[in-house]
Amino acid sequence: MEGARRLLACALCGGEWSFGRILCPACLEADPLKLPSFTAPPHSNVRIEGCETCRRYVKSIDLSEDARPIPEVDDLVSLSLDLWAAREGFERIEPGLAGV
């Protein structure tokens, strides 16, 4: 199923690679109950994908509904999600363009 594919991208080098959807990229936790995701109405295509085991997260840009978003721009525009995740005790695996 093409819509279920998950790609990770490096903000530094621009590289992309496939990665399992139900798997933490930081610690490889695979229990779906320990891998919550969070969204906020103003950023319906952006999601925080957290891990309760290592307390790390990645920010996901969903292109399944609309492939026009520009990940770098959407990352900056949705900075409020990163700030929320930090207040909840999560740390981003790699800092985004805003340094968070």
Side-chain angles (χ1 to χ4, degrees), residues 28-85:
L28 304 179
E29 175 64 66
D31 181 350
L33 297 176
K34 294 181 180 179
L35 300 170
S37 66
F38 309 96
T39 60
H43 312 290
S44 59
N45 67 321
V46 180
R47 174 173 63 250
I48 296 291
E49 297 179 0
C51 177
E52 295 290 349
T53 300
C54 68
R55 303 299 292 173
R56 307 291 295 276
Y57 76 92
V58 294
K59 188 188 280 184
S60 233
I61 313 281
D62 185 353
L63 302 177
S64 65
E65 295 291 320
D66 183 359
R68 293 177 296 167
I70 301 167
E72 296 82 4
V73 172
D74 286 286
D75 186 27
L76 287 173
V77 170
S78 62
L79 183 60
S80 61
L81 289 173
D82 293 289
L83 298 174
W84 174 86

Side-chain angles (χ1 to χ4, degrees), residues 83-94:
L83 298 174
W84 174 86
R87 280 193 310 270
E88 295 297 313
F90 289 96
E91 181 183 348
R92 192 165 168 162
I93 291 174
E94 289 292 329

